[in-house]
Each structure stands twice: as structure tokens, then as C-alpha cells.
């Protein structure tokens, strides 16, 4: 007996996931309001053809995050062995197109340091970030596609990692290894897209989780033939 509700082809499933992801990013960047997002998300789940799915994102603006290419890797001669960042009762920032050293020592004493790796040009191997924070803080931001390893000691403080993207599957992905000591201070590690604010990253993570659950329910329903 022929199944009256055959399973959609793989290409349609892949396109559906791609369109849902783009809708999430557009909503996170305020290109869609609540009603528009809900409506297009429902239509994406119900779409039966590729043109139906493509039409849901055809009129949306290009996102900077989606159009920004990965920074080119640094040549071996550009990568320093060691570098020190000091923030004492003040601030220190590393961001934009910079080349992280193999070992980066960060001292934040009653001050704050910001390390933004989203446009950094990584060399081969691991970037080790060793932090000493005394009544200060260090904020570390990495893009999706960079693996983060955290191992630190905190006394009346914390080493907090907020993952808003799944870990990279590429075994050759850059690695940022964070460790050190925080006393009455803290280290915060986040994964954000280039140009994405903290608020937008949190919003995108919630939407991705919700959309994934909805898609899983829809696929199970189709498998049962409901």
C-alpha cells in the first residue's frame, strides 16, 4: 500500500533547515517582527516545494554576518610566541583583524580586558589565553567555527562560557584554550557571529533551539504518516 504522506526528499529537508536558519538570523537582527517571523516559520514547516521555501527569504536583506568571509589564516612568521595584555584600573581591547599569539597573558586588576577573535587571523595550532583577574574582568568573544576549551580557577568569581553555537565539527578548527585565576573577578567567554550583539546572540540561540524542536516534531510526524 502506498504511503499517502511520503517522506519529503533530502534536498527539501536541507533547504527547509537552511531557510529556517536564515529566518532566525533575520529575526535576531530585527529584519522581521514577531508576527512576520511566526508566519514565515509556520510556512517553512508546511512548505512542500523548494520554490515555496526560497520565496520566504527572497525579499529579506542580505545579512552582514552571512556575507562576512572567514578571516584569512596568518602566516607562521606573523604569529608571535607570546604577548601580554594589561588592564590596571582601566581597559584594554584586542579586536578587528589581529593575529593572536600562541600564548596570550592577560592581567586585569580592577579593570577590564576585551579579546574579540571574530575577525582575528589565526595561525596554526592552539592559542593559549592565560588570565589573571583581580577585582576585574576579561571578556572573550569567538566566532562559530572556533573550538573553546576552558579550565580556570575562580575564587569569589567565575569562568563562564556561554555557547550560542554548536561546537565545530572540523578537527582542524582553530582552538582557543582559556585558563588562569580569577579572584573577585571573572572571565566570560561567548560565541557570536561577526557584527552580532550580545542581545542578538542570545535571541538567536533561543530561536535556534525552538526551531530545531519544531523541525524535529515535524519530521517525526511525517515519519509516522500523520
Amino acid at each position: 500500500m502506498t504511503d499517502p504522506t511520503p517522506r519529503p526528499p533530502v534536498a527539501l529537508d536541507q533547504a527547509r533547515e537552511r531557510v529556517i536558519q536564515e529566518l532566525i538570523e533575520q529575526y535576531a537582527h530585527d529584519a522581521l517582527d514577531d508576527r512576520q517571523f511566526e508566519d514565515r516559520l509556520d510556512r517553512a514547516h508546511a512548505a512542500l516545494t523548494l520554490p515555496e521555501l526560497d520565496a520566504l527569504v527572497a525579499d529579506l536583506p542580505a545579512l552582514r554576518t552571512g556575507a562576512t568571509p572567514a578571516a584569512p589564516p596568518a602566516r607562521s612568521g606573523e604569529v608571535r610566541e607570546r604577548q601580554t595584555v594589561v588592564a590596571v584600573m582601566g581597559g584594554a581591547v584586542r579586536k578587528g583583524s589581529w593575529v593572536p599569539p600562541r600564548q596570550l597573558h592577560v592581567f586585569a586588576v580592577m579593570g577590564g580586558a576585551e579579546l574579540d577573535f571574530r575577525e582575528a587571523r589565526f595561525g596554526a595550532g592552539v592559542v593559549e589565553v592565560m588570565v589573571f583577574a583581580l577585582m576585574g574582568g576579561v571578556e572573550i568573544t569567538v566566532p562559530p567555527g572556533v573550538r573553546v576549551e576552558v579550565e580556570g580557577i575562580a575564587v569569589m568569581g567565575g569562568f563562564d562560557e556561554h555557547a550560542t553555537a554548536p561546537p565545530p565539527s572540523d578537527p582542524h578548527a582553530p582552538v582557543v584554550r582559556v585558563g588562569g585565576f580569577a579572584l573577585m573577578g571573572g572571565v566570560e567567554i561567548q560565541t557570536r557571529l561577526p557584527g552580532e550583539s550580545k542581545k542578538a546572540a542570545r535571541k538567536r540561540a533561543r530561536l535556534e533551539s525552538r526551531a530545531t524542536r519544531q523541525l524535529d516534531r515535524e519530521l517525526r510526524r511525517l515519519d509516522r504518516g500523520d
Side-chain angles (χ1 to χ4, degrees):
M1 180 177 178
T2 303
D3 186 351
T5 55
R7 183 74 166 80
V10 173
L12 186 62
D13 281 345
Q14 292 174 339
R16 194 189 316 277
E17 292 182 23
R18 171 182 57 79
V19 168
I20 289 173
Q21 179 63 36
E22 182 168 348
L23 290 174
I24 288 170
E25 293 186 15
Q26 293 281 358
Y27 181 57
H29 287 78
D30 298 320
L32 296 170
D33 61 28
D34 292 348
R35 182 187 58 79
Q36 291 170 329
F37 175 71
E38 293 282 355
D39 176 64
R40 295 195 189 208
L41 192 61
D42 289 341
R43 288 160 60 192
H45 285 301
L48 299 177
T49 66
L50 294 177
E52 286 180 88
L53 289 169
D54 291 338
L56 296 175
V57 295
D59 62 329
L60 297 176
L63 289 173
R64 178 179 179 270
T65 55
T68 302
R75 298 187 299 271
S76 59
E78 296 180 279
V79 182
R80 297 170 60 179
E81 287 295 327
R82 179 176 174 144
Q83 190 175 0
T84 301
V85 174
V86 179
V88 178
M89 301 181 68
V93 178
R94 294 292 185 276
K95 64 190 302 183
S97 180
W98 63 295
V99 178
R102 292 182 173 86
Q103 290 187 342
L104 182 59
H105 295 261
V106 184
F107 297 88
V109 180
M110 293 186 289
E114 178 186 353
L115 307 176
D116 191 335
F117 291 92
R118 287 179 292 176
E119 297 178 28
R121 298 173 55 228
F122 287 91
V126 177
V127 175
E128 294 187 356
V129 180
M130 297 303 298
V131 174
F132 176 78
L134 174 62
M135 300 176 67
V138 178
E139 181 179 298
I140 299 173
T141 307
V142 302
V146 171
R147 190 180 308 278
V148 178
E149 300 174 359
V150 183
E151 184 176 347
I153 299 173
V155 178
M156 292 187 290
F159 277 77
D160 301 320
E161 181 180 3
H162 305 286
T164 57
S169 57
D170 182 1
H172 304 293
V175 177
V176 174
R177 184 174 296 148
V178 182
F181 179 75
L183 174 62
M184 292 185 289
V187 179
E188 181 182 11
I189 304 104
Q190 305 177 64
T191 302
R192 301 205 321 253
L193 297 166
E196 187 176 47
S197 67
K198 292 183 182 180
K199 180 180 178 181
R202 291 193 296 268
K203 189 175 183 180
R204 174 177 53 79
R206 291 195 301 270
L207 293 171
E208 286 178 341
S209 178
R210 173 184 166 193
T212 298
R213 292 195 301 270
Q214 289 180 334
L215 184 58
D216 287 343
R217 287 197 297 269
E218 180 68 15
L219 294 178
R220 288 197 297 270
R221 184 187 69 79
L222 291 170
D223 284 337
R224 293 194 305 267
D226 295 348

